[in-house]
Amino acid sequence: MKKKIVVCTDLGPVLSLLTLRDDLDVVVWPHAVDTECPQAWLLENVQGASGLVVCFKERVDGEVIKAAGPGLRAVSTISVGYVGYDHIDLPLLASRNIQVGYTPDVLTDAVADSAVMLALMASRRTNLTTSVVTSNAWSAFQWTPFALSAPQLSTTPFSAKRTVGFLGFGRIAQAVLRRLTFGFGVSDTIYTPRPEAPPQVMRDAELLRGLMPNLHSLRAVDMHTLAADSDFLFVLAPGGEATRHLIDESFLRRMKPTSVLVNNGRGSVVDSTALAKALKEGWIWGAGLDVIEEEPHVGVGHVLLAEPEVREKCVVVPHLGSATHDTRAEMARLTAVNVLRGVDGEQMESGLDLGRWQ
Amino acid sequence: MKKKIVVCTDLGPVLSLLTLRDDLDVVVWPHAVDTECPQAWLLENVQGASGLVVCFKERVDGEVIKAAGPGLRAVSTISVGYVGYDHIDLPLLASRNIQVGYTPDVLTDAVADSAVMLALMASRRTNLTTSVVTSNAWSAFQWTPFALSAPQLSTTPFSAKRTVGFLGFGRIAQAVLRRLTFGFGVSDTIYTPRPEAPPQVMRDAELLRGLMPNLHSLRAVDMHTLAADSDFLFVLAPGGEATRHLIDESFLRRMKPTSVLVNNGRGSVVDSTALAKALKEGWIWGAGLDVIEEEPHVGVGHVLLAEPEVREKCVVVPHLGSATHDTRAEMARLTAVNVLRGVDGEQMESGLDLGRWQ
């Protein structure tokens, strides 16, 4: 009897890795190319499945696992973010020894590119400057040397110090740092680790060695120093209660008026209302957000988009940090390989460690 | 008798370099902070001047030089672009041995930052993606793995080759290349030099040596190869008849459908009508323009902004590549020092070589 794999999301050409296997019965949500899979279709089709492929929009909860039955061996999610598996009931899957695959490492470079883009857009205030053109104001624009001038990301021979800060200092943060140090001459780095994290003295020494002589310093600091000293601050922390509103009014008030905030981590880390106030009153220079509180329910009525004085300083992209052809294709490949390995009873190429629930 | 310096533009705090000198009579256009200097004010006030400070909006022509009289020793312009002195009658000044100061080198890093920003914005199509948010479409957006995905600037372990091309390969291009190679892992570089330029074999070998092992190749190519092989193409050529519409329909038709065009050089190099067609019909992926034909007379009726299918792929910033606090302040300092040196009969810190007219 063939093993069944249910695929709820678009894997592009790598779907053939599954369909070419004669020993598998592959059932694909037929509108996967442009439409999310309804939970009802999933529940109806998951019965008897050995493997299940989802994105973060499908819930893999007790109901789905019960509907699947005892043969389910693998759940593979094409995860799109820092954590990316809030939609899966991990303790339940762990208790049944079902492997869970995800795709964390492959999106590092794409998200790091996005973070640098947002830093440049927020510093140069592209919402404002591009609107000079689209509001037909360019021809009457009075050119003066300091008109529409902005903080500069790169160092120069005549301005040789730039401090970047990171809230959360994992893989993506380090990829951003490589871009900024080697590419843009950033000279100093500070970061605030998770409160419970042990000091990473040896790792930091190794990192600094690899980035010298471009980078002059790299050190862990408290939140006060992170706020006060960062010229560009990158939020790359995971979500959840422990990090909720770490960037709040008191933090933002301590930042430099020329500083730029970038969030590619989780929206909940930054208090949107406080950020809107900070932008409006000039506590900070600008913000670039790939993630935002209450997403995706964010539109022109949102506190960061409603008023022109805020909106022109705040770039909001709808959570597309990892959305490149190369990266999404690799995420799809890894998702397909993960489910195959799980169904075959092998260890996944990139499986979640479920040990804490076992 | 005091020497007179006429200042038509805002020098910010470095104006004091001039006004602190007791032997100088400094006359400043009183609305310099936010308004361009009318030519009539310049003509009225320039009489008897030893030094003149302008931006590119003031014309320094025969009429102004005649009005100034024989004592004029120095014209110092806070130039903002690649050439930036089209507004000054250089042959006439050369014939009178009047020094001309400008500020080219200091803006290299700021413009290079702008070029990288535009490359990222055009590849990620930020006009389109941010409009998903501002048109209230995010909450109904169907997340699928390849929706709104884009070409990736950086290389990754699973996509290790990226070729960037440069039309014009001077200081700014090389600064962009350093950012892309060290920061984003770009692997291969091609460029097309000016037709009359001698081969720069030794310079290229030296450059490549400095960028290895990140960069694998660096070579001069013809325009056909530049079009066909560039994943990201940066136009950093000067203006004028020799470069007019070098990027035309036949060039754009040879580019890759996933390629991105960035122009921080001169607007006249790129044929706007051909570019609009290329974007609309998908010959190339996107464009990021800091300069554009017919600027500053560019608004929503422009061929690159009128239609949604073009506009969403084309970012237009109103010529602000060098508009950072640090860079504009340094340009102002250099402009002030140049005029002082000229008035004092010394060689300018950054003076134009007028030899070809002498």
Side-chain angles (χ1 to χ4, degrees):
Chain A
M1 203 183 110
K2 290 185 178 187
K3 287 177 181 169
K4 179 177 178 182
I5 296 182
V6 175
V7 180
C8 297
T9 198
D10 182 21
L11 294 180
V14 302
L15 180 65
S16 60
L17 291 179
L18 278 56
T19 54
L20 285 171
R21 286 259 305 248
D22 292 335
D23 59 332
L24 297 177
D25 175 24
V26 182
V27 179
V28 184
W29 158 239
H31 307 290
V33 170
D34 54 14
T35 313
E36 293 164 7
C37 178
Q39 197 71 15
W41 185 92
L42 169 55
L43 278 167
E44 196 180 310
N45 286 275
V46 77
Q47 199 180 340
S50 298
L52 175 59
V53 172
V54 297
C55 78
F56 72 105
K57 290 287 190 127
E58 288 85 49
R59 291 189 314 281
V60 183
D61 53 15
E63 192 179 14
V64 167
I65 292 161
K66 188 176 166 204
L72 188 64
R73 304 305 335 133
V75 173
S76 179
T77 179
I78 184 161
S79 81
V80 294
Y82 203 78
V83 180
Y85 38 83
D86 302 339
H87 55 301
I88 299 177
D89 188 339
L90 296 177
L92 182 57
L93 291 169
S95 73
R96 302 201 174 193
N97 283 313
I98 298 169
Q99 287 190 73
V100 178
Y102 70 139
T103 61
D105 294 9
V106 297
L107 48 74
T108 301
D109 285 303
V111 177
D113 286 5
S114 160
V116 175
M117 177 184 82
L118 290 170
L120 287 163
M121 289 178 75
S123 61
R124 297 297 184 104
R125 286 185 178 162
T126 52
N127 282 359
L128 174 63
T129 60
T130 59
S131 78
V132 169
V133 183
T134 54
S135 68
N136 297 324
W138 193 358
S139 60
F141 175 68
Q142 295 292 299
W143 194 92
T144 60
F146 299 98
L148 295 178
S149 72
Q152 182 165 328
L153 176 56
S154 65
T155 54
T156 68
F158 49 85
S159 180
K161 185 175 165 67
R162 209 75 79 224
T163 301
V164 295
F166 294 95
L167 180 61
F169 197 59
R171 275 187 310 270
I172 296 173
Q174 293 168 38
V176 172
L177 181 58
R178 277 192 298 277
R179 283 159 176 72
L180 298 183
T181 302
F182 288 130
F184 294 85
V186 157
S187 58
D188 296 274
T189 301
I190 53 182
Y191 72 90
T192 301
R194 281 170 293 136
E196 75 278 16
Q200 299 258 25
V201 178
M202 292 310 292
R203 181 204 61 181
D204 288 356
E206 184 64 21
L207 257 178
L208 183 57
R209 202 177 62 85
L211 296 169
M212 280 167 62
N214 297 279
L215 194 66
H216 304 158
S217 73
L218 168 66
R219 62 203 173 92
V221 298
D222 62 23
M223 290 289 282
H224 271 68
T225 307
L226 187 73
D229 288 2
S230 296
D231 294 312
F232 287 80
L233 176 64
F234 295 87
V235 176
L236 288 160
E241 268 313 302
T243 59
R244 187 170 178 279
H245 286 195
L246 276 181
I247 309 292
D248 60 5
E249 185 167 325
S250 72
F251 185 96
L252 291 162
R253 280 189 186 277
R254 278 192 291 271
M255 291 182 76
K256 302 179 191 183
T258 52
S259 66
V260 167
L261 177 75
V262 173
N263 191 359
N264 282 87
R266 273 291 177 268
S268 58
V269 183
V270 177
D271 179 343
S272 288
T273 305
L275 178 57
K277 202 169 168 186
L279 292 169
K280 189 171 180 177
E281 299 186 3
W283 312 345
I284 73 171
W285 181 266
L289 310 175
D290 191 53
V291 295
I292 184 169
E293 271 191 299
E294 300 103 21
E295 69 176 74
H297 307 290
V298 173
V300 290
H302 191 273
V303 66
L304 284 163
L305 296 168
E307 294 181 84
E309 315 94 283
V310 178
R311 189 172 58 229
E312 68 189 22
K313 302 176 185 175
C314 187
V315 175
V316 183
V317 172
H319 207 151
L320 293 168
S322 70
T324 69
H325 301 145
D326 287 340
T327 295
R328 290 289 171 86
E330 178 66 7
M331 287 165 69
R333 187 199 64 79
L334 192 52
T335 302
V337 169
N338 278 337
V339 78
L340 285 175
R341 293 266 183 92
V343 165
D344 291 343
E346 297 166 10
Q347 192 170 358
M348 288 180 168
E349 185 173 327
S350 174
L352 263 178
D353 179 4
L354 299 178
R356 59 187 280 205
W357 290 289
Q358 279 168 330
Chain B
M1 203 183 111
K2 291 186 177 183
K3 287 178 181 167
K4 180 177 176 181
I5 296 183
V6 175
V7 179
C8 298
T9 198
D10 183 20
L11 294 179
V14 301
L15 180 65
S16 59
L17 291 179
L18 277 55
T19 55
L20 286 171
R21 285 261 304 252
D22 290 335
D23 60 333
L24 296 178
D25 176 24
V26 181
V27 178
V28 182
W29 159 240
H31 307 292
V33 170
D34 55 14
T35 312
E36 293 164 8
C37 179
Q39 198 72 14
W41 184 92
L42 169 55
L43 279 167
E44 194 180 312
N45 285 274
V46 76
Q47 199 182 338
S50 297
L52 175 58
V53 171
V54 296
C55 78
F56 72 106
K57 290 288 191 126
E58 288 85 48
R59 291 188 314 282
V60 183
D61 52 15
E63 193 180 12
V64 167
I65 291 162
K66 189 178 166 202
L72 188 63
R73 304 307 332 135
V75 173
S76 179
T77 179
I78 183 160
S79 82
V80 296
Y82 203 78
V83 179
Y85 38 82
D86 303 340
H87 55 302
I88 300 177
D89 187 340
L90 298 177
L92 182 58
L93 291 169
S95 73
R96 302 199 174 196
N97 284 313
I98 297 168
Q99 286 192 72
V100 177
Y102 71 139
T103 61
D105 294 11
V106 298
L107 48 73
T108 301
D109 284 305
V111 177
D113 285 6
S114 159
V116 175
M117 176 185 82
L118 290 170
L120 287 162
M121 290 176 75
S123 61
R124 298 296 184 105
R125 287 185 177 162
T126 52
N127 282 359
L128 174 64
T129 60
T130 59
S131 79
V132 169
V133 183
T134 54
S135 68
N136 297 323
W138 193 359
S139 62
F141 175 69
Q142 295 292 299
W143 194 93
T144 60
F146 298 98
L148 294 179
S149 71
Q152 183 165 328
L153 175 57
S154 64
T155 54
T156 67
F158 48 85
S159 178
K161 184 175 168 66
R162 210 75 79 222
T163 301
V164 294
F166 294 95
L167 180 60
F169 198 58
R171 278 187 308 269
I172 296 173
Q174 292 167 39
V176 172
L177 180 58
R178 277 192 297 277
R179 283 158 176 73
L180 298 183
T181 302
F182 288 131
F184 294 85
V186 158
S187 58
D188 296 274
T189 301
I190 52 181
Y191 71 90
T192 301
R194 281 170 293 134
E196 75 279 17
Q200 299 258 25
V201 178
M202 292 310 292
R203 182 204 60 183
D204 288 357
E206 184 64 22
L207 257 176
L208 183 59
R209 202 178 61 85
L211 296 169
M212 281 166 62
N214 297 277
L215 194 65
H216 302 159
S217 73
L218 168 66
R219 60 200 174 95
V221 298
D222 62 22
M223 291 287 284
H224 271 68
T225 307
L226 188 72
D229 287 3
S230 295
D231 293 313
F232 288 79
L233 175 64
F234 294 87
V235 176
L236 288 161
E241 269 312 303
T243 59
R244 185 168 179 278
H245 287 194
L246 275 182
I247 310 292
D248 59 5
E249 185 167 324
S250 73
F251 185 97
L252 291 162
R253 280 190 186 277
R254 278 192 292 271
M255 291 182 74
K256 302 180 191 182
T258 53
S259 66
V260 167
L261 176 75
V262 173
N263 191 359
N264 281 86
R266 274 292 177 268
S268 58
V269 183
V270 178
D271 178 345
S272 288
T273 306
L275 177 58
K277 202 168 166 187
L279 292 168
K280 188 170 179 178
E281 300 186 2
W283 312 345
I284 73 171
W285 181 267
L289 310 175
D290 191 52
V291 295
I292 183 170
E293 271 190 299
E294 301 103 21
E295 70 177 72
H297 306 291
V298 173
V300 289
H302 190 275
V303 65
L304 285 163
L305 297 168
E307 295 180 83
E309 313 94 284
V310 177
R311 188 171 58 231
E312 67 189 21
K313 301 176 183 173
C314 186
V315 175
V316 183
V317 172
H319 207 150
L320 293 168
S322 70
T324 69
H325 300 146
D326 287 340
T327 295
R328 290 290 171 86
E330 177 66 6
M331 287 165 70
R333 187 199 64 77
L334 192 51
T335 302
V337 169
N338 278 339
V339 77
L340 285 175
R341 293 267 181 91
V343 165
D344 291 343
E346 297 167 10
Q347 192 171 358
M348 288 181 166
E349 185 172 327
S350 174
L352 263 179
D353 178 4
L354 299 179
R356 58 187 280 204
W357 291 289
Q358 280 167 331

